[in-house]
Amino acid sequence: MADATDSGGASPGGADDVANRGGAERTGGGFRRPARGKLLVDLGPLRDSADFRRLWLGQTVSTTGNMVTGVVVPVQVYAMTRSPAAVGAVSLVEAVPTIALGLFGGSLADSFDRRRLFALTSGLSALVSVLFALQAALGVRQPWVLLVLAGVQASLFALSTPVSRTFMPLLLPAERYTEGAALQQMSFQASIVAGPLLAGVLIASAGAGTAYAVDAVSFAFVVRSALRLPPMPAHRKADKAGLASVGEGLRFVRDHAALRSILLLDVNNTVFGMPFALFPAFAEGQLHGGPRTAGLLYAAPAAGGVLAATVSGGLPGVRRQGRALLAAGCCWALAVAGFGLARSLWLAVPLLAVAGAADMVGGVFRSAILQTRTPDALRGRVSAVGFVTGEAGPRLGNAEAGAVGSLVSPAFSAVSGGAACLAGIVLTAATTPALLRYEPVPEVPPPAPAPSAV
């Protein structure tokens, strides 16, 4: 694989053609085609590709560490200020650089060696976690220090994530993208569950400094796995990274109906159907509980996602992936609306678990379609568009849900949000026949910019 990628950097077709040829060769001599009719998640990509296996394990450990910091920072800020507004400021300082730099991160991914770029940004993130640990160990009680560090780490995250999303197509053949995406979703959902639980234990038993140190150490796993990947030379000269490069990626998404529609669907589902901001008030008002009840509500979607990923073995056999994506969105919308009507914890939690399972299934097909239909020369920039919409949508959705919940009620916010989400899905299906017809078969995408020799 290393030799193929190296030779592809200067070839007329670039590494995209090399990756496609390599995929066919690997399928015939090393990779096994997925067995149809399976129930449990297919572990074939982990078994057949040492590079993918190392990267998957490293990202699982690192993401769990990230989730630890994601809990410890707001806990520390609240302990210093006793102000919910200050806690909200953490999300704000993370959102601004994430959205502002996310698209530029995709441009960098298409202009530099992706393996080295990812290792560099991950290493710098580890350094920020060390600084988090130092401020906790030294007893610094200045919230602005935490806000600055959170903003820097969010900036690095915005630069590294689009890069990491380009790896799978270079490590797996095209027919294994769905299985690879399912494994990545399972890893992410498991980290969402494990990270906060680990954070709670570490804060209570060893303090915030130790929790941050665990996150710093976790980055070592993903940096090591990245450095062991085969070389991934750029398609473009480094001086081409910038606004013009970002614009090429945006135009590609605009001109490709299937890609444009699945990203709009993601925005629709998260802006209108994101209920997380309602959980504390809903737990107290509708369910007559407290923080423990809210904690169960927060954990339920991730638990549903983990369960769905575990039994995702049948997803690679789905041919009408566009319709499956729309169906998953409908399940998400209906589950969120049903949650708004629930008056029992034993009904609310299963409905949120169904929503999380639907989100996981939709994420698998969304990732597979994006990876399959994007040429490698543009994969970083298109992944960056998906990253920005995926980050901006939930934040805007939580703000919208919280505002409606405050003006009317949490129950009305969830029900109306689910209904609006469902209406958006129906509108998308009616106006985008390309998505309804989409199947994972070879097709010629819109012309991509000619790659530069490296």
Side-chain angles (χ1 to χ4, degrees):
M1 179 63 185
D3 293 338
T5 308
D6 285 338
S7 64
S11 69
D16 192 43
D17 292 341
V18 175
N20 289 338
R21 290 196 300 271
E25 292 168 1
R26 288 190 297 264
T27 302
F31 281 101
R32 292 186 288 275
R33 293 186 180 276
R36 302 305 178 192
K38 290 183 62 176
L39 175 63
L40 297 180
V41 63
D42 191 340
L43 301 179
L46 297 178
R47 181 176 57 246
D48 297 331
S49 171
D51 290 326
F52 181 78
R53 179 172 64 251
R54 283 191 292 266
L55 183 65
W56 185 85
L57 290 171
Q59 288 183 316
T60 300
V61 174
S62 179
T63 303
T64 301
N66 294 344
M67 295 299 170
V68 170
T69 293
V71 171
V72 183
V73 170
V75 167
Q76 260 204 301
V77 169
Y78 187 74
M80 293 177 186
T81 64
R82 311 306 296 177
S83 169
V87 176
V90 176
S91 294
L92 181 61
V93 300
E94 292 174 339
V96 172
T98 296
I99 296 172
L101 296 177
L103 294 176
F104 187 64
S107 176
L108 292 176
D110 291 334
S111 302
F112 295 93
D113 186 294
R114 294 166 180 172
R115 175 193 60 171
R116 295 179 180 177
L117 183 59
F118 182 65
L120 174 62
T121 52
S122 297
L124 292 174
S125 294
L127 179 60
V128 176
S129 293
V130 170
L131 295 177
F132 269 123
L134 284 175
Q135 65 81 30
L138 296 174
V140 177
R141 297 190 60 82
Q142 297 294 331
W144 68 266
V145 174
L146 289 168
L147 294 178
V148 169
L149 291 175
V152 172
Q153 196 160 65
S155 300
L156 293 167
F157 179 71
L159 295 176
S160 67
T161 301
V163 181
S164 68
R165 293 185 179 186
T166 68
F167 290 155
M168 185 177 71
L170 298 177
L171 303 177
L172 299 177
E175 62 268 21
R176 304 307 295 266
Y177 289 177
T178 304
E179 296 96 306
L183 287 165
Q184 289 178 330
Q185 281 286 324
M186 183 172 70
S187 166
F188 178 70
Q189 298 290 345
S191 297
I192 293 177
V193 176
L197 294 176
L198 179 59
V201 172
L202 291 173
I203 294 172
S205 61
T210 301
Y212 289 129
V214 168
D215 185 21
V217 171
S218 74
F219 279 107
F221 290 85
V222 76
V223 170
R224 182 174 183 271
S225 64
L227 291 176
R228 296 184 68 185
L229 292 175
M232 299 177 180
H235 289 267
R236 306 164 55 85
K237 293 180 180 178
D239 60 4
K240 292 294 183 68
L243 292 178
S245 173
V246 169
E248 289 174 352
L250 292 172
R251 286 191 295 274
F252 179 82
V253 173
R254 180 198 64 191
D255 295 338
H256 197 299
L259 299 187
R260 183 178 68 247
S261 61
I262 65 175
L263 293 177
L264 289 175
L265 270 176
D266 192 26
V267 173
N268 171 78
N269 293 353
T270 53
V271 168
F272 295 113
M274 183 57 62
F276 287 68
L278 305 172
F279 290 168
F282 197 92
E284 182 176 328
Q286 274 67 37
L287 302 180
H288 309 291
R292 290 185 180 181
T293 301
L296 288 173
L297 298 181
Y298 278 111
V306 172
L307 179 61
T310 303
V311 294
S312 62
L315 296 184
V318 176
R319 299 298 301 171
R320 298 282 189 175
Q321 292 187 350
R323 295 185 182 183
L325 181 62
L326 291 166
C330 290
C331 289
W332 164 270
L334 292 171
V336 169
F339 160 73
L341 297 173
R343 294 297 179 269
S344 165
L345 181 64
W346 307 116
L347 179 59
V349 166
L351 284 169
L352 289 173
V354 169
D359 183 51
M360 177 269 159
V361 172
V364 167
F365 289 123
R366 184 164 55 248
S367 175
I369 294 172
L370 282 172
Q371 301 287 11
T372 302
R373 288 296 174 258
T374 305
D376 194 61
L378 282 164
R379 191 165 279 131
R381 283 163 284 175
V382 173
S383 295
V385 177
F387 166 70
V388 170
T389 58
E391 288 294 312
R395 298 179 191 278
L396 294 174
N398 275 319
E400 180 271 337
V404 175
S406 298
L407 292 173
V408 187
S409 73
F412 177 85
S413 180
V415 174
S416 62
C421 177
L422 186 62
I425 294 170
V426 172
L427 179 62
T428 301
T431 57
T432 315
L435 185 60
L436 289 171
R437 296 194 302 266
Y438 179 84
E439 293 186 20
V441 294
E443 75 176 37
V444 179
S452 301
V454 177

